[in-house]
Amino acid sequence: SDERVQCEGCGVEIQTESPAQVGYVPSAALKREHLLCQRCFRIRNYGEMESIQQNPDDYLHLLGEIANTDSLVVQVIDLFDFTGSWIPGIHRHIGNNRLLLLANKIDLFPKTTKWGRLREWVLKSANDYGIHPIDVVFCSAAKGDRIDQAVSSIERHRQGRDVYIVGTTNVGKSTFINRLIRDLGGINEDVITTSPYPGTTLDMIRIPLDDGKAIIDSPGIVRKDRLSEWIDPKELRMVVPQSTVKPKVYQLNDQQTLFIGGLARFDFISGPRQSFVCYVSNRLYIHRTKQEQADSFQQRHRGGMLAPPTDPNCLPSWKKHVLHLSGKEKQDIVISGLGWITCGQHRAKIEVWAPEGIQVLTRAAII
Ligand code: GDP
């Protein structure tokens, strides 16, 4: 028959010919009850994977098909990497379909976060990206927080339609879908592979719903302008926060520098003494020094005290971003895929060094 056999983990089409290509299964393993491609099998059983490149054009083509459907689009965003969560041109690709924003990973935010205010922030920022979501819901797919509200919002807004789950890689799409499947009953084990590594879901996968409709998971688009994409999987768990981020406050004078591991450098060039609050993974070492000593310190300690990365050559060379803050409102300096630094209500000139190609920008403070 010409029926496609899909991997239960990532949804890719199964093949038995070429071990180096995606979807490979040794033919002897075809009789397994739960069919996983070799890649998912390894992730599941050994926690290891080979990286597979995804072609952004293919992904946008897949997304474009959504425009021809009548469905609800759920865009999952990683609240901790809001900047890296955006799919370029999403509003064109989904046509007239309604879009619901699911802001994931709230467990990384302080318990004191004012969700009402953050919701307004997300809505306004979404509008700036040209998106007008019908709803914004918060959840932690991994911890299960607020999943009920998310599910009922989806149920309310889908009105008998199919649901497409879209988003960039690593925002938590697969984790959320595994939750959904468990909450909607039926299957009681993880059927989609989740991992901290980019691009784990490789093809569209349909999860049938009771009313004949389906939840359709898309693979996710890789954004190379996120720092996390460049990090070796072995070091990724240090860079991508795994638990509630503890803000680190630094009172700096001008001409002082902060190194965030070996990933970025923050130079406070001029302005009155003020505090800067770093929101990055708790496991990253932040080193404070005088700016005049920063270059030689970096030369001596890159890959050592200033790590990750232990191999600095895995990153593009650093590029300087010059930022002028007026001090009129609290602002975040965002380094996509790493975190952000909140600046107080004072004038400041700042220079941020980050690997070339990584997005560095300022925004109204998220918290
Ligand atoms: P996908 O590529 O969008 O399908 O993302 P995955 O579901 O594979 O998740 C990517 C990474 O984010 C994995 O390491 C997950 O454990 C992690 N993750 C997913 N949801 C959450 C969450 O709610 N909170 C936190 N802290 N991590 C999450």
Side-chain angles (χ1 to χ4, degrees):
S1 89
D2 60 2
E3 199 183 323
R4 272 165 50 111
V5 182
Q6 286 179 304
C7 165
E8 283 186 25
C10 65
V12 75
E13 190 165 357
I14 292 292
Q15 51 93 8
T16 54
E17 271 87 50
S18 30
Q21 304 286 313
V22 296
Y24 177 73
V25 168
S27 23
L30 277 177
K31 354 183 243 303
R32 282 204 196 109
E33 190 186 345
H34 294 289
L35 197 56
L36 291 176
C37 71
Q38 182 156 284
R39 181 163 165 273
C40 286
F41 185 83
R42 283 187 182 156
I43 295 172
R44 189 81 52 94
N45 292 293
Y46 313 120
E48 64 179 34
M49 75 154 231
E50 314 110 83
S51 68
I52 284 168
Q53 271 301 329
Q54 252 192 300
N55 180 346
D57 292 341
D58 288 349
Y59 182 65
L60 291 180
H61 184 74
L62 270 180
L63 260 194
E65 292 174 13
I66 298 178
N68 305 323
T69 67
D70 178 23
S71 51
L72 172 69
V73 178
V74 174
Q75 186 186 353
V76 183
I77 58 174
D78 174 348
L79 210 45
F80 197 79
D81 188 16
F82 192 82
T83 309
S85 295
W86 290 94
I87 303 168
I90 172 96
H91 51 294
R92 286 197 307 278
H93 297 297
I94 64 169
N96 296 322
N97 291 306
R98 300 202 288 175
L99 184 134
L100 189 150
L101 269 189
L102 185 79
N104 188 32
K105 307 202 187 182
I106 60 170
D107 56 294
L108 300 177
F109 276 63
K111 296 279 176 290
T112 53
T113 302
K114 298 189 175 62
W115 298 106
R117 192 193 153 270
L118 188 52
R119 189 172 184 281
E120 293 306 312
W121 186 97
V122 170
L123 262 176
K124 183 176 178 309
S125 308
N127 292 348
D128 293 344
Y129 281 103
I131 289 174
H132 302 277
I134 45 160
D135 200 3
V136 176
V137 284
F138 294 99
C139 76
S140 167
K143 301 281 179 333
D145 304 339
R146 292 183 179 233
I147 290 291
D148 293 354
Q149 283 109 305
V151 171
S152 62
S153 176
I154 291 173
E155 203 44 50
R156 193 163 64 247
H157 290 294
R158 87 177 172 95
Q159 296 174 327
R161 298 183 181 87
D162 285 337
V163 178
Y164 280 88
I165 309 279
V166 303
T168 54
T169 50
N170 282 322
V171 292
K173 293 184 300 300
S174 308
T175 309
F176 177 68
I177 286 175
N178 287 330
R179 279 269 167 207
L180 269 188
I181 293 169
R182 266 171 292 170
D183 287 10
L184 300 178
I187 309 161
N188 258 325
E189 60 186 295
D190 286 9
V191 293
I192 298 169
T193 302
T194 63
S195 85
Y197 315 126
T200 303
T201 315
L202 288 174
D203 206 345
M204 292 275 195
I205 183 168
R206 283 180 73 89
I207 299 139
L209 297 172
D210 288 347
D211 60 2
K213 298 297 176 180
I215 298 170
I216 299 139
D217 182 30
S218 69
I221 189 169
V222 175
R223 289 193 58 160
K224 289 306 236 182
D225 56 1
R226 291 186 293 200
L227 196 46
S228 45
E229 301 284 344
W230 293 84
I231 305 300
D232 187 282
K234 287 197 285 295
E235 292 183 316
L236 204 55
R237 280 184 178 279
M238 292 187 71
V239 178
V240 176
Q242 307 290 315
S243 56
T244 305
V245 169
K246 297 188 191 75
K248 293 202 184 77
V249 185
Y250 292 88
Q251 288 286 340
L252 297 188
N253 294 318
D254 59 348
Q255 303 291 306
Q256 286 193 308
T257 291
L258 297 176
F259 284 101
I260 303 173
L263 298 166
R265 168 177 159 181
F266 176 95
D267 290 356
F268 177 26
I269 303 292
S270 61
R273 177 180 167 83
Q274 56 191 287
S275 63
F276 297 97
V277 189
C278 297
Y279 292 86
V280 296
S281 163
N282 300 334
R283 296 176 64 182
L284 286 174
Y285 170 61
I286 301 181
H287 184 83
R288 171 184 175 147
T289 183
K290 288 206 179 89
Q291 197 200 330
E292 60 182 16
Q293 285 156 14
D295 283 342
S296 63
F297 188 86
Q298 191 175 352
Q299 280 309 319
R300 263 178 296 140
H301 295 292
R302 61 202 291 269
M305 196 193 283
L306 297 181
T310 42
D311 174 15
N313 296 325
C314 74
L315 298 176
S317 54
W318 282 11
K319 177 176 178 280
K320 184 169 79 176
H321 303 255
V322 182
L323 306 165
H324 294 273
L325 304 181
S326 70
K328 284 202 194 74
E329 53 164 5
K330 269 209 306 182
Q331 293 245 294
D332 296 336
I333 295 177
V334 179
I335 302 164
S336 186
L338 177 63
W340 67 91
I341 297 164
T342 304
C343 307
Q345 278 147 311
H346 296 285
R347 168 183 64 78
K349 178 182 176 188
I350 286 150
E351 291 178 357
V352 172
W353 293 84
E356 177 144 34
I358 302 306
Q359 259 205 87
V360 174
L361 52 89
T362 57
R363 68 180 182 196
I366 190 171
I367 293 183

